[in-house]
Amino acid sequence: MSENLSVLGVFSLLSVLAVGGGAAVLPETKMLVVDTHHWLTDDQFRDIYGLGQVVPGPNMLMVLVIGYHVTGYLGALLAYLGFFVPSGVISWGASRVWDHFEGSPWRRSLQLGMAPMVIGLMAAGAISIARTAIDGSLTVAIAIGAFIGVYFIKKVNPAFFVLGGGVVGLLLLSRTGAGMP
Amino acid sequence: MRSTADEAGGPAKGAGEAAGEAAYVLPRGVPLWEIFLTFLVIGATSFGGGVVAYLRAGLVIRKRWLDEEHFMSALEISQALPGLNATNMSIIVGDRLRGVAGAVVAFLGVTLPGASLVMILGVLYASNASNPYVNATLVGVGAAAVGMLTAVTLQIGRKQFGGLIDAAIILITIAMVSFLHISLLWVLLTVGPAAVLIYRPRRDDGAAPSDPAGPRA
């Protein structure tokens, strides 16, 4: 039971810290899930993050799988509620009072100030995943390929390049055994 | 298709004012099942991240439940507050349409397809974690995700990377999180207020704060 409470607690904390969205909260998620609570290994975290990438909707739905790994289906439900309800309630309440600040110059200050911080947090998120996901020249090549695809070919859905990375991994890595635990 | 507040925000606001707001009225009495179904379709089709772009296509263009200006205002709230833009937006729009019940069905709609799918994959993964083919595929997906995340970050931050003040805020944030391993709470409590203060409203213009970016250009 205490593990269930930990799952609820960790993901509720991450929920209120998730300013700037899912990528921004990745380093903290990894720190709590892998380093603090030892619920997952580094590689499992990378794998589960990958699962979140190939499903529709918000990528951070991967928190369900993390919860599932800790205490089964109940853990998945608690991670889902923990991660989405607190921030959802905050947004809901804020949207109801937001219009009272219509025309307040601080709204623009907030936007201008938050934007670069969020970019910084997203970059930190990429670095955090890279530390586990990039290991050896083939993974570097896959990452560069996906980067070029997503950055320059805007007409193609980014999911295609992520899945493409999976196919390349399947074809080349499973044969050589590289990157295997 | 990558929608960010920065890319979509500037022109949309100007256009909204120019085009005349009178045309837009918030629809009344939209059935809950229709809200649920609309968000369910968005939740089931929004592959590749950037759910906000799909929300805009579904809510502003197809359903006309919101105009650009209201959409951007909901996005502005979602971005300034904790939580994912996609779920926050769904909750805010659902609430505008049908109150709390609307917010709940919109949230469930946008998350349930992905949640069910990721659970199926998660259960399969748990029982096949040592399968070399599963492993190799996920190693590839993880590596590609790094490339995608980097590309998306650069696209969204294109404007910010160009300015001295913004670039400094970005680098300080990265250093604190990635290299000094400072807890996110402290980063948010220090960098956030400092950045907003840097961009605080100036006394000389009431409506919009003078952009400190001005002098550096």
Side-chain angles (χ1 to χ4, degrees):
Chain A
M1 197 60 227
S2 69
E3 279 291 70
N4 281 318
L5 283 180
S6 302
V7 170
L8 188 64
V10 161
F11 287 106
S12 304
L13 175 67
L14 290 170
S15 181
V16 297
L17 291 180
V19 176
V25 84
L26 266 180
E28 191 79 4
T29 309
K30 193 176 160 193
M31 198 164 84
L32 287 172
V33 167
V34 177
D35 303 332
T36 310
H37 288 279
H38 307 290
W39 286 334
L40 300 175
T41 65
D42 254 7
D43 285 350
Q44 284 174 323
F45 187 84
R46 174 207 57 208
D47 289 352
I48 291 174
Y49 179 74
L51 296 183
Q53 296 294 318
V54 298
V55 299
N59 298 334
M60 286 302 280
L61 285 168
M62 67 141 180
V63 298
L64 277 91
V65 183
I66 299 178
Y68 175 76
H69 267 255
V70 186
T71 61
Y73 289 104
L74 180 59
L77 181 67
L78 291 172
Y80 176 66
L81 296 177
F83 191 70
F84 290 105
V85 171
S87 57
V89 170
I90 293 172
S91 289
W92 170 80
S95 81
R96 294 208 160 187
V97 298
W98 195 256
D99 291 341
H100 295 293
F101 298 100
E102 185 81 67
S104 163
W106 282 97
R107 270 172 58 158
R108 189 159 161 72
S109 300
L110 193 68
Q111 262 187 312
L112 286 173
M114 296 294 251
M117 184 182 73
V118 168
I119 302 299
L121 291 174
M122 288 180 68
I127 292 169
S128 160
I129 290 297
R131 282 185 175 147
T132 11
I134 302 300
D135 179 24
S137 50
L138 186 58
T139 51
V140 171
I142 292 174
I144 291 174
F147 173 84
I148 291 172
V150 175
Y151 196 85
F152 294 104
I153 311 174
K154 286 179 189 145
K155 291 228 165 96
V156 179
N157 190 312
F160 175 81
F161 297 106
V162 174
L163 284 174
V167 173
V168 173
L170 177 63
L171 293 179
L172 298 179
L173 284 171
S174 63
R175 192 180 304 158
T176 61
M180 292 292 117
Chain B
M1 87 141 273
R2 282 258 150 246
S3 116
T4 75
D6 296 317
E7 280 168 22
K13 264 180 194 154
E17 280 154 27
E21 271 315 295
Y24 172 74
V25 257
L26 183 73
R28 300 240 165 246
V30 180
L32 284 174
W33 65 263
E34 195 184 343
I35 299 176
F36 177 71
L37 215 64
T38 302
F39 281 91
L40 193 74
V41 169
I42 296 170
T45 53
S46 52
F47 282 93
V51 183
V52 170
Y54 293 87
L55 285 170
R56 192 177 155 277
L59 303 175
V60 180
I61 296 169
R62 269 203 309 278
K63 284 281 171 184
R64 296 177 186 276
W65 282 344
L66 291 173
D67 63 356
E68 288 285 357
E69 196 188 329
H70 285 80
F71 185 83
M72 289 316 297
S73 136
L75 183 59
E76 189 186 326
I77 302 172
S78 303
Q79 286 179 323
L81 293 170
L84 310 185
N85 290 335
T87 48
N88 286 353
M89 291 281 297
S90 305
I91 287 167
I92 292 169
V93 175
D95 183 55
R96 296 242 160 115
L97 293 169
R98 281 298 299 271
V100 176
V104 171
V105 296
F107 166 74
L108 290 176
V110 85
T111 54
L112 280 183
S116 327
L117 255 175
V118 85
M119 270 314 292
I120 293 170
L121 292 179
V123 172
L124 289 176
Y125 168 72
S127 48
N128 294 287
S130 50
N131 180 316
Y133 297 104
V134 172
N135 262 302
T137 307
L138 287 173
V139 166
V141 167
V146 172
M148 185 195 73
L149 206 49
T150 310
V152 171
T153 305
L154 283 179
Q155 279 168 345
I156 295 179
R158 198 179 292 140
K159 208 169 76 187
Q160 275 77 21
F161 280 112
L164 217 62
I165 295 171
D166 281 353
I169 296 173
I170 292 171
L171 290 178
I172 289 168
T173 308
I174 295 175
M176 287 173 85
V177 176
S178 296
F179 300 103
L180 304 172
H181 302 288
I182 294 168
S183 161
L184 179 57
L185 179 65
W186 291 112
V187 178
L188 294 177
L189 289 180
T190 52
V191 178
V196 174
L197 270 180
I198 291 172
Y199 284 104
R200 69 188 170 277
R202 306 293 157 139
R203 205 181 298 166
D204 47 343
D205 57 1
S210 62
D211 192 345
R216 82 184 167 217

